């Protein structure tokens, strides 16, 4: 293996082996932290084909395009786009023999990345666009004009420095819904307008990324008229088997020996249980992948295989968080409500309200009290509501904000307890911020929990 190989040169490992364990370590860590993507994206082949086809038409055929990629956080939107961009390197436009050397020195396309979290105004976005395109001439003078004029100037500078064939631009707009909150939406209008015109002088593709399914309602009429209305939807994986396969692909190198060890680690009962818990809790692969980071970071020539003991320790550390230490002091009623929430998670919904939790708790208690000679106390609803509010204050339970409901997000902890609101607080939707396995651990760690509740928590 060449010692100077870089991450961009090794999308896949199969033809390289793992003799340079440092490069393997670096690449796997980059995957685990989401900076690069594995060779295969599980469950996203259709979406990948759509996005790659669109970008390929812009880069190869000089065609203007725009698309929105919509899906919940952690579903793989950014990974999907990164993979589509990496595939463009394998589809360079055909060059005549005399142009090959020039093409090696000139990029086939430029990628500009913006984020609604960072680029909070059009001026900030425009300045970063110029920086990413390495254009600084008279920048301060043009920033005092309109966004459209300034952006047109930047495109003219690019055309001045280019050859006969224009260089396409690919704009990746993360947190697209936040960019839509800019005054007059000048940034989005200008980009969509140029993409719609399909100007062969400077063809651009605009890829918006958002977790809000109602994002189209945020766009002004004139912006909608310039948008192509292409939308690609990304969903969480639909089975624990696919979820586990995502983890395996992130750790795969293509080397038979290394990958066999990966399979052994993933088959270990505690590791397999943790991956299943991560799937049941949020379906976000990042929660499962982070427990492998420390073991991957310790790979070396002397220890070229993943350490199962290290991974088990990481699983233990994830479960024994500071929040878990606080929870060990909660009351029995508060613990019973958490067990009731765990039961609701088993119905397939991660969101519920106090009325649903209390009904689940009362159903169990009525069965126990009426079906046996037990003497457990059934708490009245106002008392249970106070216990529920304590869980909210501890941020073990968080309200699902009305503004974020479409995105699957959660709001601040005080939203649920505020006196104002469209619905009574007992009907406001919430989400438990614990994994099902953590609830079971809490029950098992308490000596004062009745045996029947222990069995309830295991169901």
């Amino acid at each position: 293996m060449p010692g100077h190989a870089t991450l961009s040169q090794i999308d896949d490992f199969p033809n390289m082996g793992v003799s340079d364990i440092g490069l393997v370590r670096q690449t796997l860590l980059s995957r685990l932290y989401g900076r690069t993507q594995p060779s295969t994206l599980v469950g996203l082949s259709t979406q990948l084909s759509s996005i790659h086809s669109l970008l390929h038409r812009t880069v190869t055929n000089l065609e203007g395009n725009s698309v929105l990629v919509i899906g919940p956080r952690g579903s793989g939107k950014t990974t999907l786009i990164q993979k589509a961009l990496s595939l463009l390197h394998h589809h360079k436009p055909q060059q005549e023999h005399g142009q090959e050397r020039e093409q090696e020195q000139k990029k086939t396309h430029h990628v500009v990345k913006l984020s609604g979290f960072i680029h909070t105004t059009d001026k900030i976005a425009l300045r970063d666009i110029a920086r990413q395109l390495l254009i600084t001439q008279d920048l301060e003078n043009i920033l005092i004009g309109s966004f459209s004029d300034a952006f047109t100037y930047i495109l003219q500078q690019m055309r001045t420095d280019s050859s006969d064939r224009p260089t396409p631009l690919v704009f990746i707009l993360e947190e697209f819904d936040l960019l839509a909150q800019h005054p007059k939406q000048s940034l989005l209008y200008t980009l969509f307008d140029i993409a719609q015109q399909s100007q062969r002088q400077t063809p651009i593709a605009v890829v918006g990324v958002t977790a809000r399914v109602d994002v189209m309602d945020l766009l002004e009429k004139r912006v909608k008229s310039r948008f192509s209305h292409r939308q690609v939807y990304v969903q969480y994986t639909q089975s624990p088997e696919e979820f586990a396969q995502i983890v395996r692909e992130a750790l795969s190198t293509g080397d038979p020996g290394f990958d066999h060890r990966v399979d052994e680690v993933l088959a270990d009962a505690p590791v397999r249980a943790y991956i299943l818990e991560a799937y049941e809790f949020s379906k976000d692969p990042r929660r499962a992948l982070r427990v492998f980071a420390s073991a991957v970071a310790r790979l070396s020539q002397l220890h070229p295989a993943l350490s199962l003991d290290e991974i088990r320790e990481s699983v233990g550390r994830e479960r024994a968080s500071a929040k878990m230490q606080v929870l060990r002091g909660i009351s029995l009623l508060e613990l019973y409500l958490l067990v009731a929430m765990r039961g609701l998670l088993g119905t397939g919904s991660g969101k519920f309200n106090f009325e649903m939790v209390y009904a689940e708790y009362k159903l169990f208690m009525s069965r126990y009290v009426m079906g046996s000679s037990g003497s457990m106390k059934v708490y009245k609803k106002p008392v249970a509501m106070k216990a529920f509010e304590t869980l909210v204050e501890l941020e073990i339970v968080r309200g699902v904000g009305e503004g974020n409901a479409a995105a699957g997000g959660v709001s601040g902890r005080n939203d649920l307890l505020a006196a104002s609101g469209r619905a009574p607080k007992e009907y406001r939707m919430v989400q438990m911020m614990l994994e099902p396995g953590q609830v079971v651990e809490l029950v098992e760690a308490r000596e004062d929990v009745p045996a029947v509740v222990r069995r309830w928590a295991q169901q």
Side-chain angles (χ1 to χ4, degrees), residues 1 12-21 24 31 248 251-263 304-305:
M1 176 186 301
D12 306 321
F13 279 106
N15 298 323
M16 300 185 70
V18 293
S19 59
D20 188 347
I21 198 65
V24 173
R31 286 182 188 171
R248 189 192 185 284
L251 297 171
S252 175
T253 65
D255 177 82
F258 190 93
D259 290 353
H260 178 70
R261 179 57 175 171
V262 170
D263 291 335

Side-chain angles (χ1 to χ4, degrees), residues 241-380:
E241 290 78 18
E242 273 194 356
F243 189 82
Q245 184 62 22
I246 292 174
V247 176
R248 189 192 185 284
E249 289 294 336
L251 297 171
S252 175
T253 65
D255 177 82
F258 190 93
D259 290 353
H260 178 70
R261 179 57 175 171
V262 170
D263 291 335
E264 290 180 341
V265 168
L266 297 181
D268 181 67
V271 176
R272 188 171 66 250
Y274 180 81
I275 293 175
L276 179 60
E277 290 170 5
Y279 169 78
E280 293 176 343
F281 179 68
S282 67
K283 295 180 174 59
D284 186 343
R286 294 173 296 187
R287 178 179 293 271
L289 291 176
R290 66 189 181 202
V291 300
F292 299 94
S294 61
V296 170
R298 292 178 181 273
L299 291 175
S300 65
Q301 295 291 350
L302 294 178
H303 304 284
L306 292 176
S307 169
L308 179 57
D309 291 339
E310 177 66 31
I311 295 172
R312 284 178 174 175
E313 289 179 10
S314 295
V315 170
R317 286 193 297 268
E318 285 291 320
R319 288 175 169 167
S321 62
K323 185 175 292 186
M324 290 294 289
Q325 298 300 323
V326 173
L327 280 173
R328 298 190 190 281
I330 64 176
S331 68
L332 279 177
L333 175 56
E334 291 157 2
L335 182 58
Y336 295 164
L337 294 180
L338 289 177
V339 177
M341 293 179 209
R342 182 186 184 279
L344 290 173
L345 286 176
T347 64
S349 174
K351 301 176 181 64
F352 31 78
N353 57 36
F354 169 75
E355 288 291 334
M356 297 166 64
V357 175
Y358 186 74
E360 181 79 5
Y361 158 74
K362 195 171 181 180
L363 177 63
F364 165 75
M365 295 299 288
S366 64
R367 287 175 178 173
Y368 171 73
V369 172
M370 295 176 61
S372 68
S373 59
S375 58
M376 289 177 60
K377 180 180 180 179
V378 180
Y379 292 92
K380 299 291 186 180

Side-chain angles (χ1 to χ4, degrees), residues 31 106 202 245 386 431:
R31 286 182 188 171
K106 178 177 178 295
T202 310
Q245 184 62 22
K386 288 294 183 181
Q431 181 175 347

Side-chain angles (χ1 to χ4, degrees), residues 133-193:
L133 295 176
L134 303 179
I135 295 175
T136 58
Q137 302 94 323
D138 300 324
L139 183 60
E140 294 303 324
N141 293 331
I142 67 170
L143 284 176
I144 62 177
S146 68
F147 181 91
S148 178
D149 291 341
F151 189 72
T152 300
Y153 173 82
I154 292 175
L155 295 183
Q156 288 174 347
Q157 292 298 311
M158 289 193 61
R159 289 196 289 269
T160 300
D161 297 335
S162 66
S163 61
D164 293 338
R165 190 181 193 280
T167 303
L169 301 179
V170 178
F171 283 83
I172 308 299
L173 308 182
E174 295 279 357
E175 306 300 333
F176 180 88
D177 51 292
L178 297 181
L179 294 174
Q181 296 179 19
H182 290 193
K184 299 181 181 180
Q185 299 182 355
S186 300
L187 167 65
L188 301 183
Y189 175 80
T190 302
L191 293 180
F192 284 155
D193 184 53

